[in-house]
């Protein structure tokens, strides 16, 4: 007779897929927080020559990449499909054609191998990247989600309970970074380039506007700021004046950071939480992290953010979110569809 005493319990293994925009990603995560593999095939070089993501091309590239990426994720984790407990997949928000690739493949794998399927909200995934980088982190907390498509303040009350306090009325923070970078002839995506340039510039050189900064207003607007920066650059060009790109980058970044930091702190105060969590691609911004750290220290709040590779799109964050949905039995069936404008906290 075999002796099972002392044998460790089988881990819960989630395989997740992420194809909402321009990264084809797959990951295996054990027990919600231990990354066994995190494969990201970026399409950035493909889209760079167009200055932004071309949705049709993104879908085609996902189709080419998705199976090799899933294979690699399983191989690097040293597991096979039959070891997987559940399959998580991003089903929104995002580009519909891109999302459909991940959703279709996840459904096919789920059906073929008879493994439960879990539909994951991309924004919730970004927030959950923090649980991978910060094992001690637990809700409740205030999440500031800043990415290429979103700028939102979310009160995370529990692992499955979210309240959206406010979001952007127009451009997302990352979108503003990318558009300004484009006019400054920096490569796509421009956020990291502006970040780098801003380090050598004077953030007080140009007084760019800060929108909707009234008390307890948790909405954002970056289109006015974007226009102000573009006007500044165009008028200087028309007058034949040379601009200091580092000063423009630093002053623009300071305007974005000011608004994000002050609203995140106000939101934490209003909801009486003692932790602020940064999420999304713009969470990689060094100016934002620096100011938020300073302000959180002064206000006696704890600050968490994911390591850089988990800030931008990846499937490990989707696997982490899927794990907590698995724990409450929140599964999808084979009718799961892509929802490009999926709202937070909605099934
Ligand atoms: O989360 P993400 O990978 O994709 C979306 O879900 O949108 O975010 C991508 C965005 C891009 O707009 C990119 O420019 C921005 O994140 N980003 C940054 C930095 N790194 C990435 N923005 C500012 N500073 C950075 N260091
Ligand atoms: Zn994202």
């Amino acid at each position: 007779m075999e002796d099972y005493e002392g044998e460790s319990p089988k881990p819960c293994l989630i395989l997740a897929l992420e194809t909402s925009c321009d990264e084809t990603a797959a990951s295996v995560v054990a027990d919600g927080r231990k990354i066994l593999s995190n494969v990201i095939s970026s399409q950035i070089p493909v889209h760079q020559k167009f200055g932004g993501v071309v949705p049709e091309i993104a879908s085609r590239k996902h189709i080419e990449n998705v199976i090799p990426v899933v294979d690699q994720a399983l191989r690097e984790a040293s597991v096979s499909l039959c070891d997987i407990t559940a399959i998580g997949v991003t089903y929104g928000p995002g580009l519909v054609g891109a999302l459909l690739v991940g959703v279709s493949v996840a459904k096919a794998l789920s059906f073929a191998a008879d493994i439960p399927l879990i539909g994951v909200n991309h924004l919730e995934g970004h927030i959950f990247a923090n649980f991978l980088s910060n094992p001690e982190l637990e809700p409740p907390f205030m999440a500031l989600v800043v990415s290429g498509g979103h700028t939102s303040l979310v009160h995370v009350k529990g692992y499955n309970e979210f309240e959206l306090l406010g979001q952007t009325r127009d451009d997302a923070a990352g979108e503003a970074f990318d558009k300004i970078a484009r006019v400054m002839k920096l490569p796509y995506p421009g956020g990291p380039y502006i970040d780098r340039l801003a380090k050598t510039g004077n953030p007080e050189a140009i007084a760019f506007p800060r929108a909707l900064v009234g008390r307890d207003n948790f909405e954002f607007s970056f289109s006015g700021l974007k226009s102000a920066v573009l006007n500044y650059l165009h008028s200087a060009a028309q007058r034949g004046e040379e601009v200091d790109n580092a000063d423009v980058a630093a002053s623009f970044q300071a305007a974005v950071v000011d608004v994000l930091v002050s609203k995140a702190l106000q939101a934490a105060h209003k909801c009486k939480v003692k932790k602020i969590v940064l999420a999304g691609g713009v969470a990689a911004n060094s100016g934002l992290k620096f100011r938020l750290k300073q302000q959180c220290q002064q206000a006696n709040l704890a600050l968490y953010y994911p390591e850089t590779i988990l800030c931008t799109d990846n499937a490990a964050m989707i696997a982490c979110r899927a794990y907590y949905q698995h724990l409450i039995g929140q599964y999808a069936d084979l009718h799961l569809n892509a929802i490009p404008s999926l709202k937070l906290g909605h099934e």
Side-chain angles (χ1 to χ4, degrees):
M1 212 171 81
E2 279 179 68
D3 180 10
Y4 286 103
E5 239 183 38
E7 197 175 89
S8 55
K10 248 178 101 176
C12 170
L13 296 178
I14 306 281
L15 166 69
L17 277 75
E18 155 64 43
T19 65
S20 68
C21 191
D22 59 350
E23 329 279 356
T24 318
S27 164
V28 178
V29 170
D31 298 325
R33 300 216 181 195
K34 186 164 184 261
I35 301 176
L36 301 186
S37 63
N38 185 22
V39 181
I40 305 168
S41 167
S42 176
Q43 302 178 7
I44 286 175
V46 179
H47 299 284
Q48 225 155 27
K49 54 180 169 289
F50 303 103
V53 178
V54 183
E56 173 70 20
I57 297 176
S59 312
R60 287 165 187 249
K61 285 284 160 198
H62 284 310
I63 288 181
E64 280 173 26
N65 295 337
V66 66
I67 299 295
V69 163
V70 170
D71 273 347
Q72 192 182 336
L74 291 170
R75 214 170 37 246
E76 285 182 11
S78 302
V79 298
S80 67
L81 200 52
C82 58
D83 301 315
I84 298 296
T85 315
I87 299 176
V89 63
T90 306
Y91 74 112
L95 302 169
V96 69
L99 289 164
L100 277 170
V101 178
V103 168
S104 305
V105 170
K107 278 161 61 169
L109 292 174
S110 156
F111 178 70
D114 197 21
I115 301 170
L117 179 68
I118 298 170
V120 176
N121 180 308
H122 182 78
L123 288 191
E124 293 172 12
H126 270 304
I127 295 171
F128 277 56
N130 279 281
F131 294 126
L132 296 166
S133 295
N134 306 287
E136 74 287 8
L137 177 63
E138 282 183 27
F141 52 75
M142 182 56 56
L144 172 63
V145 189
V146 270
S147 73
H150 300 272
T151 307
S152 312
L153 276 165
V154 182
H155 182 189
V156 178
K157 298 177 178 176
Y159 285 105
N160 299 292
E161 203 185 339
F162 313 100
E163 187 195 349
L164 178 67
L165 258 82
Q167 58 189 338
T168 183
R169 289 184 185 176
D170 40 60
D171 291 345
E175 204 175 344
F177 269 95
D178 294 344
K179 284 184 181 163
I180 282 155
R182 191 173 167 170
V183 174
M184 290 167 84
K185 303 204 169 25
L186 296 168
Y188 172 84
Y193 295 92
I194 299 255
D195 189 356
R196 222 169 293 154
L197 202 53
K199 286 187 181 135
T200 57
N202 173 9
E204 285 164 14
I206 311 146
F208 290 130
R210 277 88 167 140
L212 307 175
V213 283
R215 196 141 193 92
D216 281 356
N217 181 335
F218 300 119
E219 286 193 310
F220 299 89
S221 168
F222 294 109
S223 72
L225 168 62
K226 182 189 70 191
S227 304
V229 180
L230 298 186
N231 284 342
Y232 179 88
L233 292 170
H234 288 149
S235 351
Q238 268 170 359
R239 287 197 300 266
E241 287 170 13
E242 210 171 298
V243 297
D244 184 330
N245 273 351
D247 281 353
V248 176
S251 301
F252 158 73
Q253 185 170 292
V256 176
V257 167
D258 264 3
V259 174
L260 293 176
V261 171
S262 80
K263 286 184 190 259
L265 265 82
Q266 274 186 48
H269 183 72
K270 184 183 161 72
C271 296
K272 300 186 172 55
V273 292
K274 300 301 284 174
K275 300 173 212 169
I276 291 185
V277 159
L278 255 181
V282 184
N285 185 267
S286 56
L288 176 60
K289 282 193 285 200
F290 181 79
R291 277 285 305 284
L292 210 45
K293 247 185 232 170
Q294 249 183 358
Q295 300 283 312
C296 282
Q297 232 166 24
Q298 276 177 20
N300 212 13
L301 296 169
L303 173 66
Y304 299 86
Y305 46 84
E307 58 202 279
T308 305
I309 188 69
L310 297 176
C311 285
T312 44
D313 290 349
N314 66 87
M317 68 184 196
I318 303 303
C320 178
R321 175 67 193 118
Y323 171 76
Y324 287 96
Q325 292 178 247
H326 161 70
L327 291 185
I328 57 161
Q330 198 176 71
Y331 301 114
D333 62 24
L334 293 178
H335 293 100
L336 182 70
N337 201 355
I339 304 184
S341 55
L342 183 67
K343 301 281 175 289
L344 202 89
H346 283 252
E347 279 180 48

